[in-house]
Amino acid sequence: MTRKIALVTGATRGIGLETVRQLAQAQVHVLLAGRDGAKAAEAAHALKDAGLDVEPIALDVTDAASIAAAAEEIERRHGRLDILVNNAGVLADDWAKKPSEQTLDTWHYTFETNLFAVVAVTQALLPLLKKSDAGRIVNVSSILGSNALHAEPSSGIYDVKVPAYNVSKTAVNGWTVHLAHELRDTSIKVNAIHPGSVRTDMNAQGDLDVETGAKTSVQLALIGADGPSGSFSHLGQVLPW
């Protein structure tokens, strides 16, 4: 049986690396993508040494030439892509500043990685996903992108106002809905996920381990034909937009 082929962005550490591990454990051939090709190779080789089917690929999601080169390389090596996990992301807001005080540079930098890169990578790889019998796109969002919960005083995120990050994830959710609608009559499914509050370099205060944090991405990457498209969820629980 031909193995599924997946690409995970921002995969040299944290949730991305664990997503690669779990997909490979599920018998998927995984392309571990990282901005630094040497670090991607090092991370991939460590997983290969553990018996997992992983190969590295250099991909800077904010660089158009790097995206194009990666797409060409995937087509040359494999001829298709079955799973795309848009995992790469940044949180650059200054926690000590109010929403109106965050710099415009912070907004630009955050949106370049968290939104525009997601759109650019998806656009470049969509032709390869259309060659799959059952393409899957997973956009790693955050519950902090939920406008409904930000507007509800009783919600757990009501006071977590890091606006550039939050609004970039709101936009990722919107992109997910629009792309899912475009592809509604195809075999490609597009979903947004919240990994949870995971202990990573980005979030030292997280209450979940990376194994749990990667589970939702993996679940949505492996859904069958009866699975959702255009959804926003965490570990099977639908979240409010």
Side-chain angles (χ1 to χ4, degrees):
M1 184 178 67
T2 303
R3 288 194 176 203
K4 292 181 180 179
I5 301 163
L7 171 73
V8 182
T9 67
T12 58
R13 61 181 182 174
I15 298 172
L17 180 59
E18 181 59 26
T19 301
V20 171
R21 185 193 316 277
Q22 292 184 22
L23 284 172
Q25 288 171 339
Q27 305 305 308
V28 176
H29 178 81
V30 189
L31 304 177
L32 186 158
R35 179 174 54 188
D36 185 322
K39 289 183 179 178
E42 181 180 358
H45 290 156
L47 293 176
K48 288 181 69 175
D49 288 344
L52 298 176
D53 190 5
V54 177
E55 68 174 299
I57 186 167
L59 174 56
D60 181 346
V61 299
T62 63
D63 183 87
S66 178
I67 295 170
E72 290 175 4
E73 189 169 357
I74 295 167
E75 183 167 26
R76 178 180 59 80
R77 292 186 196 177
H78 304 290
R80 75 177 200 282
L81 187 66
D82 300 295
I83 297 165
L84 170 61
V85 181
N86 285 308
N87 170 79
V90 296
L91 196 167
D93 292 79
D94 185 337
W95 289 86
K97 292 183 176 179
K98 299 174 183 178
S100 62
E101 296 172 343
Q102 303 294 337
T103 68
L104 194 57
D105 283 345
T106 295
W107 282 86
H108 279 295
Y109 173 69
T110 302
F111 269 68
E112 281 295 333
T113 300
N114 291 4
L115 176 64
F116 302 140
V118 171
V119 175
V121 169
T122 304
Q123 288 177 332
L125 296 179
L126 192 55
L128 293 173
L129 286 157
K130 288 180 177 179
K131 294 182 179 181
S132 170
D133 291 335
R136 301 290 181 261
I137 300 172
V138 179
N139 295 324
V140 177
S141 182
S142 170
I143 199 169
L144 293 176
S146 170
N147 278 332
L149 293 178
H150 272 295
E152 173 51 59
S154 65
S155 83
I157 68 164
Y158 183 68
D159 291 319
V160 188
K161 296 298 194 276
V162 280
Y165 179 83
N166 295 352
V167 179
S168 74
K169 294 302 187 179
T170 306
V172 166
N173 289 351
W175 163 245
T176 299
V177 170
H178 283 69
L179 187 61
H181 180 270
E182 175 185 338
L183 299 172
R184 66 193 183 281
D185 295 324
T186 74
S187 61
I188 299 175
K189 295 184 180 294
V190 189
N191 292 287
I193 70 98
H194 168 53
S197 180
V198 183
R199 290 187 298 275
T200 64
D201 292 342
M202 184 187 295
N203 180 22
Q205 304 303 315
D207 56 7
L208 298 179
D209 55 31
V210 291
E211 289 82 6
T212 304
K215 282 184 178 180
T216 309
S217 289
V218 173
Q219 289 171 356
L220 271 294
L222 298 177
I223 54 172
D226 59 346
S229 190
S231 73
F232 179 33
S233 66
H234 170 66
L235 294 175
Q237 177 185 357
V238 175
L239 300 176
W241 297 108

